[in-house]
Amino acid sequence: MPARYVDVSGTRGTVLVAYDTTELPASEGDTVDVLKDDPESGWSWCRDSSGREGWVPHRVLRAA
């Protein structure tokens, strides 16, 4: 979860924004649709050809 989504006070934190931490497994050659890009975190929320959704790191994505 990006730090900007949590307000930390001491050893406790409050979540400021609903956030799904699901990562989407991807293999070389897979095609995904980018549904939401988060350049600050370096991840994109994507959907694969079977309809599964999750976060994929920018470092493994390449524009088609």
Side-chain angles (χ1 to χ4, degrees), residues 39-64:
E40 189 174 338
S41 72
W43 291 71
S44 292
W45 184 261
C46 300
R47 180 183 300 130
D48 68 12
S49 60
S50 68
R52 294 180 302 174
E53 294 184 7
W55 292 103
V56 177
H58 288 169
R59 62 182 166 73
V60 303
L61 293 174
R62 181 180 67 219

Side-chain angles (χ1 to χ4, degrees), residues 25-50:
S27 298
E28 186 174 351
D30 287 352
T31 300
V32 297
D33 294 316
V34 175
L35 305 177
K36 179 181 178 182
D37 186 43
D38 186 0
E40 189 174 338
S41 72
W43 291 71
S44 292
W45 184 261
C46 300
R47 180 183 300 130
D48 68 12
S49 60
S50 68

